[in-house]
Amino acid sequence: MNTMAPQGATRDVTKLLIVDDLAENLRALNAVIRADDRVVYQASSGEEALALLLEHDFALAILDVQMPGMDGFELAELMRGTDKTRHIPIVFVSAAGKELNYAFKGYETGAVDFLYKPLDPDAVRSKVNVFVDLHCQRMEIRRRVEEQQATMNELRAAQEEMRYALRMRDEFMSMVAHELRTPLNTLYLETQMRKMQLDRGNLEAFGPEQLAGMVARDGRQIQSMIRLIDDMLDVSRIRSGVLSIRPCDTELRDILQRLTSDLARQAADAGTHFELEAPAPVQGCWDEFRIEQVIINLLTNGLRYGGGKPVRVRLSADEKEARIDVIDQGDGIPEPMLARIFLPYERGHGNGVPSGLGLGLYISRQLAEAHQGTLTVRSTPGQGSVFTLALPRTTGA
């Protein structure tokens, strides 16, 4: 079994198979049909031919009829009984006289032509060229059909992405309207109540203690709106590639102590508290404002989905990396949701803590990656989740 490779071919070649038990016949036939755009495979028995047929896709098989063991007719019957080889055109070659009526049997077994030895080189070459051209045309048609199918698949995918984008846009606008309406409604009710007190001349309602409460409530609602607007602006900056990072010397333990203290009231409202494990200061060169933003998102996420149980915050570091783990003891994240948890506008169902626009984890991961760090999650249903912010430690200027 051997192969005659084309010389200097740079494009796809056509494969031809010739089968004859005599080496001199194989050499002679190969000399007639070979060309730069073809590879001619040779087999000296039906068994060798079958092995090649199962390995390669041939444009044409030229089979000698009279071979010891498996003859050409038997090989043809096997080829016609196999899906992979059923479509291959077969040309029989025989040295026997026409009176044996081999041609009739050859056509019965599925041959497309029957040639008698001695062969006419020009006739053989012409017939082979026809089958090679037909094969190339079939391959070109198949290639174009596959390209068209690929194009259709791309168009369908693009249409689906467009529908998804439009749906997400509509949902996003609905979420924005809903999330902004809540603090605006509260502010509106506050102003209406104050107007009513003023109209009644009840200035006692504006005493120092009452006024301080009003200012605090107004401040919380205004901060809620600012946070929503900042999230939308950050998404726009991320997508346009203009999100700015301004690294400076930053100490993480101090940030964690301050933020867990600032969010203590929010934790109490959710029926829980923070447990901070930060045994030593951890310094590095990071954008302090942006790192605070990530930590706040992780802490509020822990409150939202922690099921009212304590949220553990753990700080650790080595020479190369600082790690912050935020561990909740909630219901955990279902497996299908894990793949989408860091996508924009993905929101779960928490325990009463406002869920915002579903942008916090998306923005946080982008900010972590902007610091050459990572933000990952591990979760087991029924056992809570662990969000890990890992930041490379570098020295500030």
Side-chain angles (χ1 to χ4, degrees):
M1 182 189 311
N2 57 66
T3 305
M4 300 300 293
Q7 301 296 318
T10 57
R11 61 188 179 91
D12 291 341
V13 294
T14 301
K15 296 179 180 181
L16 306 175
L17 175 65
I18 55 178
V19 186
D20 199 302
D21 60 307
L22 298 178
E24 58 269 26
N25 289 345
L26 291 173
R27 287 194 296 270
L29 187 54
N30 177 74
V32 171
I33 67 174
R34 67 187 177 190
D36 288 343
D37 61 347
R38 302 169 192 172
V39 177
V40 180
Y41 288 80
Q42 303 178 13
S44 58
S45 69
E47 290 77 11
E48 288 186 4
L50 279 176
L52 288 171
L53 285 162
L54 294 174
E55 185 178 353
H56 302 281
D57 292 322
F58 291 104
L60 177 66
I62 303 177
L63 312 181
D64 182 44
V65 171
Q66 296 168 302
M67 293 186 294
M70 185 188 300
D71 64 22
F73 296 139
E74 292 171 327
L75 176 58
E77 288 177 358
L78 289 173
M79 291 174 61
R80 290 295 173 255
T82 305
D83 289 340
K84 179 174 174 57
T85 57
R86 182 176 293 129
H87 69 282
I88 299 175
I90 297 174
V91 173
F92 281 118
V93 176
S94 176
K98 296 183 179 181
E99 65 276 5
L100 294 179
N101 212 17
Y102 276 173
F104 179 77
K105 185 175 182 182
Y107 291 125
E108 267 193 336
T109 57
V112 296
D113 209 343
F114 200 101
L115 303 176
Y116 289 96
K117 298 177 182 178
L119 299 175
D120 180 344
D122 290 334
V124 172
R125 191 178 298 111
S126 176
K127 290 178 184 293
V128 170
N129 288 342
V130 169
F131 287 111
V132 169
D133 289 343
L134 288 173
H135 176 77
C136 291
Q137 290 172 13
R138 285 196 299 271
M139 292 299 100
E140 179 64 17
I141 291 171
R142 180 186 298 176
R143 184 186 64 81
R144 291 184 180 180
V145 170
E146 290 174 350
E147 288 180 351
Q148 291 173 354
Q149 185 62 45
T151 301
M152 290 299 297
N153 291 340
E154 291 176 0
L155 286 173
R156 281 194 288 268
Q159 289 173 344
E160 185 59 33
E161 288 181 4
M162 180 66 72
R163 284 193 290 268
Y164 176 78
L166 291 173
R167 186 170 68 253
M168 292 306 297
R169 182 202 64 184
D170 293 342
E171 292 179 3
F172 174 69
M173 295 304 297
S174 176
M175 285 190 293
V176 170
H178 174 75
E179 295 297 332
L180 285 176
R181 183 180 296 276
T182 299
L184 281 173
N185 281 343
T186 302
L187 283 173
Y188 178 75
L189 289 174
E190 286 278 353
T191 57
Q192 290 298 102
M193 290 177 62
R194 292 166 202 170
K195 181 177 184 299
M196 181 180 66
Q197 298 292 352
L198 289 173
D199 289 343
R200 292 176 178 178
N202 184 15
L203 298 182
E204 293 179 357
F206 301 95
E209 185 175 340
Q210 291 81 359
L211 190 59
M214 294 176 188
V215 171
R217 290 192 297 272
D218 289 351
R220 285 196 295 273
Q221 304 311 319
I222 292 169
Q223 284 299 318
S224 295
M225 289 187 286
I226 291 174
R227 185 169 61 251
L228 292 171
I229 294 169
D230 284 344
D231 281 351
M232 290 187 288
L233 289 174
D234 277 341
V235 169
S236 177
R237 295 185 188 107
I238 289 168
R239 290 182 170 174
S240 61
V242 296
L243 182 68
S244 61
I245 298 294
R246 297 180 177 86
C248 62
D249 286 334
T250 302
E251 202 280 294
L252 294 180
R253 185 173 69 169
D254 178 67
I255 293 175
L256 289 173
Q257 290 173 339
R258 174 162 42 84
L259 293 180
T260 52
S261 175
D262 291 346
L263 294 172
R265 178 172 178 177
Q266 189 171 332
D269 291 341
T272 185
H273 63 275
F274 295 110
E275 295 178 350
L276 177 60
E277 302 174 24
V282 175
Q283 289 188 310
C285 188
W286 307 296
D287 185 322
E288 182 172 346
F289 173 76
R290 292 301 188 180
I291 296 302
E292 286 188 5
Q293 188 176 351
V294 174
I295 294 171
I296 290 172
N297 279 324
L298 297 181
L299 295 179
T300 55
N301 189 77
L303 297 179
R304 185 175 300 130
Y305 302 107
K309 299 177 182 177
V311 177
R312 293 173 55 202
V313 184
R314 185 171 57 211
L315 174 64
S316 60
D318 55 29
E319 293 182 357
K320 295 182 178 180
E321 186 180 75
R323 289 167 54 95
I324 297 174
D325 297 312
V326 177
I327 308 161
D328 70 61
Q329 303 176 65
D331 293 334
I333 303 170
E335 185 67 28
M337 186 65 179
L338 277 175
R340 309 194 311 269
I341 195 71
F342 292 105
L343 295 178
Y345 316 125
E346 289 291 342
R347 307 196 305 174
H349 300 285
N351 63 340
V353 180
S355 57
L357 299 177
L359 297 173
L361 290 177
Y362 167 73
I363 293 171
S364 295
R365 171 169 275 187
Q366 300 300 315
L367 291 174
E369 292 176 353
H371 283 83
Q372 308 304 311
T374 59
L375 178 59
T376 57
V377 62
R378 305 189 311 276
S379 185
T380 302
Q383 299 181 29
S385 305
V386 180
F387 285 85
T388 299
L389 172 65
L391 299 169
R393 300 184 73 178
T394 56
T395 303

